[in-house]
Amino acid sequence: MNWVFMNSLQKRTEEGGVVQAQVTIGEDSGVWHVYWNEPDESGETTEMCWFEGAGWNEMLTAFRGQLLQKMSEGYAPLLDNVTGDVQSINGRSEWVQKLQYYGDAFKNDAVYEALREWRRKQAGKENKAPYMVATNRLLGMLSAFLPQTTDELLQLPGFGPFKADLYGKELLAITGAAARETTFPLDWVPERIDYAQYKLWLHQQQEAFVERERQRKQQRNAVLEAALNGTDLETLKTSASLPRREALALLEELEKEGYDVEPVIAVETKDVPSEQQARVLQLFGQAGDRYLKPILQKLNEEELWKDVPSDRAYEWLRLLRIRFRRRKDETAAKAG
């Protein structure tokens, strides 16, 4: 897959927090792929495929429509003119890649480590994964180009007014304290990079992506085999070399593809009394199955799971949600 576009979006929650999602576009052997990644109530990132096909215009239509829907739900792009960026995707993607290469090749190690420490603390405050605050690649560009003003910060791919408002002051305090030899705007970058080294870097990025995809395919197959055999999550975690949460996310993906993962659900929820399982399914029917937090709050109010650790409770809810959705689909199919 050749990834040619990425943009992050954020929305504020009713509790005053921030939820960050990401939309990406890739091309593989003439086939376009558009993916949306968004965290659920438990903080686990779920991936949805918005489009897969060879038509550029069809891809663009699907991308715009889905993106407008997400923006109507409160998401704001961190990069401005997101749909316009996709229109000029080929030229812009090469420009972005050159900036990213420069950030990788010429990062200021001391500043980079200071930025990583800031990210670690910020991720802890927001209770989210560090990469959702800022990717390593973005930190590399910050350390290499050392922006000193908000205007300069906004010239880096991965930053828009929303993100600058959230983090700009703290980031500029780090990057602005370091001496720099380069200037903004960054139109000098293409002339300063070694083109052969840049192409080698692109090749290495592609190889790294292929390797990640190979590992993911192996993990997916391991999870599928375990699911069909009724293996518990802890054994599945070991056999697939995945954290429990990632193994559970793969189970959810397999269920969406039509595989029966009920054997794992039955094993993992065997300690949940049948009447409690029935109550969870009832609550999903009443409150909807998109968000888990309201369901858990209701269960705690009823003192059903008050002594269950939250991580375990969310695992049970995610597993029982798979069962609920499958039964709902089966009922709809019979009705149809």
Side-chain angles (χ1 to χ4, degrees), residues 188-205:
W188 49 267
V189 171
E191 297 179 0
R192 289 279 297 274
I193 64 176
D194 183 310
Y195 189 72
Q197 290 299 314
Y198 164 66
K199 296 300 287 185
L200 176 60
W201 176 83
L202 284 178
H203 177 69
Q204 291 170 340
Q205 300 304 303

Side-chain angles (χ1 to χ4, degrees), residues 192-241:
R192 289 279 297 274
I193 64 176
D194 183 310
Y195 189 72
Q197 290 299 314
Y198 164 66
K199 296 300 287 185
L200 176 60
W201 176 83
L202 284 178
H203 177 69
Q204 291 170 340
Q205 300 304 303
Q206 180 67 18
E207 283 190 330
F209 175 79
V210 170
E211 176 59 21
R212 288 194 300 270
E213 286 297 292
R214 184 191 65 79
Q215 292 178 356
R216 181 171 176 79
K217 185 176 181 180
Q218 287 183 339
Q219 291 169 338
R220 182 183 181 282
N221 290 339
V223 171
L224 176 57
E225 182 179 358
L228 297 177
N229 293 331
T231 302
D232 61 49
L233 280 176
E234 194 59 31
T235 304
L236 192 155
K237 165 189 168 183
T238 302
S239 63
S241 300

